[in-house]
Amino acid sequence: MLTLIRATNKLFSSHLALKFRKAVIQLTTKTQPVEATDDAFWDQFWTDATTTVQDVFALVPAAEIRAVREESPSNLATLCYKAVEKLVQAAESGCPSERERQVVLNCTRILTRILPYIFEDQDWRGFFWSTVPGAGRAGLNELDEDDGARPLAELLLLAVADLLFCPDFTVHSHKRGPDSVESMQSIDSCEYIWEAGVGFAQSPPLNYIHDLNRTELLRLLLTCFSETMYLPPASDNTVLNPWVTFFCSAENRHALPLFTSLLNVVCAYDPVGYGIPYNHLLFSDYREQLVEQAVQILIVTLEHDAGAPQPPASTSSIEEQEPTGPENLFVNYLSRIHREEDFDFVLKGLARLLTNPLTQTYLPNSTKKIQFHQELLVLFWKLCDFNKKFLFFVLKSSDVLDILVPILYYLNDARADQSRVGLMHIGVFILLLLSGERNFGVRLNKPYSLHVPMDIPVFTGTHADLLIVVFHKIITTGHQRLQPLYDCLLTIIVNVSPYLKSLSMVAANKLLHLLEAFSTSWYLFSTAQNHHLVFFLLETFNNIIQYQFDGNCNLVYAIIRKRNVFHQLANLASDPASIQKALQKKKKSPDLISRTNSQETVSMEGSRPAVPAEPGTLKASLVAIPAIDKLTEKSQVSEDGTMVSVPKTDSPQPVQSDLSAAAGTSDTESNSGRDMEDVFYTEAEMQRRRLSSASSASLWAPTPEWVLSWKCKLPLQTIMRLLQVLVPQVEKICIDKGLTDESEILKFLQHGTLVGLLPVPHPILIRKYQANAGTATWFRTYMWGVVYLRNVDPPIWYDTDVRLFEIQRM
């Protein structure tokens, strides 16, 4: 009997699919416009069909959409009008019947399929922002009068917002009895928030049908917002996305409950569920699909309007205030969250999700692993960027380490994979932002006792040791496109160095190995910027010696052992013959950085090596990142711990670092030395830039004057004084006591002191991340690239003419 029912259903579905396909063919072959009043024709698309979104994508091929657009534009226009009309009517009626709900879903799927092809054609892009012409447009005519002739886009967005809080369709009904009716016009959607969390205490019972319907509507919203993908990257932030601007404005009466629903659904999600092994293989997790769409909607809507003032932090709860001008209410609400329990809910939720792919179990593949960590990292970035109180909350306790460890895991895991270069950047940007705050450096001193499987040397130490060991691994074994990140990685280490109480021997050796690699004469003379990396490392050593000498005998010992590196730097030859000799060595050396003497030890148990991308992997190109002097501003830490901004100078300090010449093959080149206003380019332009940068690099040549200009500024005084005092003492002990065991030497160094022997401590200099047009454009390009690549079922934007980035196959 059951088999018969299934067979009948299948037959019925295939009959409806054929009917739907027939309607599509009719639409593409009709040369005469079909009247909007011809309901018998238009109803074939939504009333008579029971389709899935995958069916719609299969039954409406790209070539046919483009053909209708070019050859029967009025029919495509009418199809869009009629689909929006159906959604508007459903939002008014509250779609009480199953039939009406099916119409809503079908219209949603058709619009999701068609919109990218509207956006890719410049002549059609303004279509949804036109008002509906009068004649014969039944239904929308009356709407025009009621809504003051709203553009089609606004009608669509308001209808979708209403439908996301439609009782018995996307939310639980609050009806008191069988005869009571919930009017869609008078409904208070704040009582229908989807999940408990920020500003809402009740957790409605899970309903997978509601989750599926929400997911479909959010997918359509995401498609509406994706117009950005079809515009080339702009260096100025004045080009607003009209879809996002309207949806996040006071015109949308559901802005607050929807923002809260999206945030709470993401942060409350627990992919492991009840912890039953392999449960994700037994049951479909409809909530995961909803969470993915919700986090993607959040990251693309949380964009500041150009020139809009940052909303002030509120002392009341996250209540609605009268907005001034067309401000983004999602940004406003996010910036005004302030209760500690809300911060705790958000932080713990994000940490739980980010840590999920790291979870080790004794049964392989027994727990569900989420795939949307990149979107979560962008959301965390935006939370810290728009809500400084949240940033301070994160850093107030060691909870920040629950974010740090997964980020370091992702960085280490992606270092050899060129398709994940964007993930490397977002991880490093977050750590750069955090490192500008003193508390981050202090928190890193907490012992690292987790056993997250990473292919890094085994060590016993703190989270600071973990950070240094991972950064060393990225620099020495990552792919070459990561070179523009070297100055960011070293800036993070410099920023935290004054607060590091006790580095392990493994981490100390890694830092000395980096200095050894970066200070070879051939590397220093290879480009006009490489010497900045040496400045960063020397500044790190100086900070630790001056401010944390007592607990850092391992680093002091490593410096003494590698003292010849410092002497060679101090005596770096700058005559033309020596420069030429060094450059000859460069030609013989195949590697950018010497990977010998890096004291590699056994990797952690259970780890797997970082591997390049599988052939055929798709990746989205990225725009350039600004150089470190555009990314950061210098602040000096005064005696009372407050930060004072340091005015920019033209002196060749490490903050001026620019690795663009070293990164000739990067698709995210650093761009110091020229204005960031117009450095955004596609992959084709990149090839030309590579050739021109290669030729300009070949025009540049190191001169004795150039070497002397920065050599005289090398901050070697503190280290040379340390060596002058301690080397004779260590040598004497070794001879007197016949010591060969380094533990005895470490014990001596541990109890030694340099009080009164070192130069006057320099002020601590922190390079804090500062927002700028360059990073705003980078983030927009990166997150839309992630959204494009993650939405493959259905493939919403695949094979459409996107212009914000290029899709390349590895």
Side-chain angles (χ1 to χ4, degrees):
M1 182 70 183
L2 191 63
T3 315
L4 185 66
I5 292 168
R6 278 184 185 147
T8 310
N9 284 344
K10 200 171 176 186
L11 236 150
F12 183 63
S13 297
S14 60
H15 168 69
L16 291 174
L18 275 170
K19 220 173 160 186
F20 180 82
R21 178 72 192 128
K22 196 175 124 197
V24 174
I25 292 167
Q26 283 179 312
L27 190 70
T28 55
T29 52
K30 280 183 187 284
T31 49
Q32 293 303 310
V34 183
E35 278 300 313
T37 48
D38 187 353
D39 286 337
F41 175 76
W42 297 112
D43 282 354
Q44 298 175 93
F45 289 98
W46 33 76
T47 307
D48 305 331
T50 310
T51 58
T52 64
V53 69
Q54 286 79 9
D55 290 339
V56 171
F57 272 70
L59 296 169
V60 188
E64 292 180 17
I65 301 172
R66 289 188 177 114
V68 177
R69 188 183 69 195
E70 303 310 321
E71 291 154 32
S72 314
S74 65
N75 285 345
L76 181 61
T78 307
L79 179 64
C80 294
Y81 285 143
K82 296 294 286 184
V84 173
E85 175 189 51
K86 289 290 177 191
L87 293 180
V88 172
Q89 288 168 351
E92 290 208 322
S93 70
C95 43
S97 72
E98 188 53 47
R99 183 179 171 85
E100 286 171 277
R101 290 170 201 160
Q102 194 56 53
V103 168
V104 168
L105 293 173
N106 288 336
C107 290
T108 300
R109 291 158 187 164
I110 287 167
L111 287 167
T112 302
R113 180 61 174 142
I114 290 171
L115 271 165
Y117 299 90
I118 299 281
F119 294 150
E120 75 173 4
D121 187 316
Q122 199 174 342
D123 297 335
W124 274 84
R125 219 168 281 146
F127 164 73
F128 268 84
W129 293 98
S130 56
T131 48
V132 184
R137 310 287 183 200
L140 283 177
N141 253 2
E142 299 91 71
L143 290 172
D144 283 352
E145 289 156 29
D146 298 346
D147 281 292
R150 279 193 182 280
L152 202 58
E154 293 185 5
L155 292 169
L156 171 58
L157 291 171
L158 293 176
V160 172
D162 280 340
L163 289 164
L164 284 166
F165 293 97
C166 182
D168 290 326
F169 180 55
T170 50
V171 290
H172 282 273
S173 174
H174 291 188
K175 279 195 289 198
R176 296 281 181 270
D179 300 327
S180 64
V181 178
E182 291 172 288
S183 158
M184 286 294 287
Q185 279 64 49
S186 60
I187 207 167
D188 178 6
S189 44
C190 284
E191 294 175 10
Y192 292 82
I193 288 169
W194 302 347
E195 185 57 81
V198 176
F200 195 68
Q202 294 85 35
S203 190
L206 273 179
N207 181 317
Y208 82 94
I209 298 289
H210 292 174
D211 277 1
L212 284 172
N213 294 341
R214 292 164 180 170
T215 302
E216 298 251 18
L217 289 164
L218 290 181
R219 187 186 290 121
L220 172 56
L221 263 188
L222 194 62
T223 311
C224 290
F225 297 155
S226 71
E227 182 180 310
T228 303
M229 283 194 204
Y230 297 89
L231 304 169
S235 58
D236 59 351
N237 269 9
T238 54
V239 183
L240 294 180
N241 182 326
W243 297 85
V244 171
T245 301
F246 179 80
F247 191 77
C248 297
S249 74
E251 295 274 0
N252 178 3
R253 71 189 180 100
H254 304 293
L256 177 62
L258 185 55
F259 167 76
T260 312
S261 294
L262 296 170
L263 186 63
N264 291 355
V265 155
V266 172
C267 296
Y269 178 57
D270 183 0
V272 177
Y274 296 107
I276 305 161
Y278 302 104
N279 64 346
H280 64 290
L281 302 177
L282 305 175
F283 315 105
S284 290
D285 183 358
Y286 298 107
R287 180 52 60 112
E288 182 182 22
Q289 297 170 33
L290 175 64
V291 171
E292 288 201 16
Q293 295 293 332
V295 71
Q296 289 175 4
I297 292 283
L298 280 173
I299 64 174
V300 301
T301 49
L302 288 168
E303 284 233 49
H304 254 324
D305 294 349
Q310 282 245 14
S314 162
T315 50
S316 64
S317 182
I318 174 175
E319 296 162 357
E320 292 210 57
Q321 295 174 350
E322 281 301 308
T324 55
E327 87 177 307
N328 183 320
L329 289 181
F330 277 29
V331 172
N332 179 296
Y333 299 143
L334 184 78
S335 70
R336 293 201 340 254
I337 298 170
H338 66 277
R339 295 189 315 170
E340 295 241 330
E341 55 267 43
D342 290 339
F343 287 156
D344 189 59
F345 165 75
V346 170
L347 181 59
K348 282 196 164 51
L350 292 178
R352 178 177 58 249
L353 291 170
L354 285 169
T355 308
N356 163 265
L358 288 58
T359 313
Q360 281 291 90
T361 52
Y362 291 107
L363 300 168
N365 304 319
S366 64
T367 55
K368 185 187 196 79
K369 293 215 186 319
I370 59 153
Q371 301 296 320
F372 52 93
H373 49 274
Q374 296 191 85
E375 295 96 316
L376 291 167
L377 290 173
V378 175
L379 180 59
F380 179 77
W381 169 272
K382 288 183 180 261
L383 277 156
C384 292
D385 198 25
F386 290 138
N387 192 323
K388 290 296 173 250
K389 286 185 177 174
F390 176 75
L391 175 61
F392 297 139
F393 176 84
V394 168
L395 293 164
K396 198 170 74 173
S397 74
S398 54
D399 287 352
V400 67
L401 304 176
D402 297 335
I403 300 289
L404 169 75
V405 172
I407 288 176
L408 291 176
Y409 171 86
Y410 296 129
L411 290 178
N412 187 60
D413 188 54
R415 70 181 190 271
D417 183 346
Q418 295 200 23
S419 72
R420 292 196 283 169
V421 74
L423 168 61
M424 298 292 296
H425 280 72
I426 178 72
V428 171
F429 282 159
I430 289 172
L431 298 183
L432 181 64
L433 178 74
L434 296 175
S435 75
E437 307 296 332
R438 175 186 176 274
N439 267 4
F440 181 64
V442 173
R443 300 289 160 228
L444 290 178
N445 290 306
K446 185 176 178 182
Y448 176 68
S449 53
L450 290 171
H451 293 288
V452 174
M454 295 193 225
D455 65 325
I456 55 172
V458 178
F459 68 91
T460 304
T462 65
H463 285 77
D465 295 310
L466 176 68
L467 180 134
I468 289 166
V469 168
V470 169
F471 282 11
H472 175 270
K473 196 87 176 176
I474 292 167
I475 291 171
T476 57
T477 66
H479 58 78
Q480 287 213 330
R481 291 190 171 207
L482 299 179
Q483 286 177 42
L485 284 178
Y486 290 179
D487 48 1
C488 280
L489 295 170
L490 295 188
T491 298
I492 293 163
I493 294 175
V494 172
N495 280 349
V496 301
S497 60
Y499 312 110
L500 305 184
K501 292 184 182 303
S502 175
L503 286 185
S504 69
M505 188 61 87
V506 172
N509 283 333
K510 297 302 179 200
L511 287 177
L512 266 297
H513 175 243
L514 288 179
L515 181 71
E516 202 174 1
F518 289 141
S519 63
T520 55
S521 53
W522 73 260
Y523 186 71
L524 285 170
F525 299 157
S526 295
T527 78
Q529 302 84 18
N530 283 353
H531 62 280
H532 296 309
L533 301 174
V534 171
F535 275 81
F536 280 128
L537 287 163
L538 293 177
E539 193 177 332
T540 298
F541 298 143
N542 287 341
N543 281 342
I544 294 174
I545 292 165
Q546 290 280 21
Y547 292 98
Q548 300 291 347
F549 178 82
D550 286 351
N552 273 296
C553 58
N554 288 325
L555 181 68
V556 173
Y557 178 62
I559 288 172
I560 290 171
R561 282 186 57 222
K562 292 285 183 183
R563 57 190 178 276
N564 63 316
V565 177
F566 299 97
H567 290 301
Q568 282 167 8
L569 260 177
N571 299 314
L572 184 70
S574 58
D575 58 283
S578 299
I579 292 174
Q580 281 313 307
K581 190 177 172 187
L583 292 175
Q584 290 305 313
K585 276 190 194 169
K586 179 192 174 186
K587 287 173 186 167
K588 291 175 194 163
S589 176
D591 235 335
L592 177 75
I593 294 177
S594 156
R595 296 182 187 183
T596 54
N597 307 323
S598 64
Q599 282 92 27
E600 276 308 329
T601 53
V602 182
S603 284
M604 296 171 76
E605 192 181 343
S607 67
R608 55 187 182 83
V611 290
E614 290 277 327
T617 303
L618 294 178
K619 80 179 188 86
S621 63
L622 291 162
V623 297
I625 59 164
I628 197 75
D629 59 331
K630 297 277 194 338
L631 271 178
T632 57
E633 62 181 4
K634 286 181 181 179
S635 292
Q636 206 164 288
V637 181
S638 56
E639 285 182 18
D640 62 356
T642 55
M643 299 233 186
V644 184
S645 192
V646 177
K648 291 201 173 187
T649 63
D650 294 327
S651 62
Q653 291 299 311
V655 77
Q656 305 273 305
S657 179
D658 165 17
L659 292 164
S660 54
T665 57
S666 174
D667 60 356
T668 51
E669 289 179 46
S670 184
N671 279 286
S672 175
R674 58 180 182 275
D675 200 343
M676 266 302 295
E677 291 314 300
D678 117 302
V679 294
F680 308 108
Y681 41 83
T682 65
E683 200 71 8
E685 290 166 328
M686 253 179 260
Q687 194 54 41
R688 290 197 295 278
R689 281 173 183 267
R690 279 176 205 147
L691 294 170
S692 68
S693 79
S695 62
S696 63
S698 62
L699 292 174
W700 178 84
T703 63
E705 295 73 33
W706 170 78
V707 176
L708 290 170
S709 73
W710 54 262
K711 182 186 163 186
C712 66
K713 295 191 175 84
L714 285 169
L716 286 164
Q717 190 187 3
T718 300
I719 294 164
M720 289 308 194
R721 183 73 183 127
L722 174 144
L723 292 172
Q724 190 185 354
V725 173
L726 291 181
V727 170
Q729 293 182 13
V730 170
E731 284 176 342
K732 186 173 187 305
I733 287 174
C734 290
I735 293 163
D736 291 354
K737 297 190 177 176
L739 290 184
T740 51
D741 182 7
E742 65 180 32
S743 64
E744 290 293 323
I745 301 167
L746 287 169
K747 204 177 289 180
F748 163 74
L749 292 171
Q750 211 168 347
H751 298 109
T753 179
L754 291 175
V755 174
L757 297 172
L758 292 177
V760 177
H762 54 282
I764 295 172
L765 204 60
I766 302 294
R767 294 168 181 84
K768 289 172 77 84
Y769 167 81
Q770 59 173 356
N772 60 77
T775 46
T777 305
W778 186 91
F779 270 99
R780 191 177 305 117
T781 310
Y782 168 62
M783 72 187 176
W784 276 113
V786 169
V787 168
Y788 179 107
L789 292 170
R790 297 266 300 109
N791 283 274
V792 290
D793 185 25
I796 302 176
W797 301 280
Y798 185 73
D799 226 11
T800 60
D801 188 18
V802 295
R803 297 186 62 206
L804 184 64
F805 44 80
E806 286 188 5
I807 295 296
Q808 298 131 9
R809 203 172 282 282
M810 298 294 291

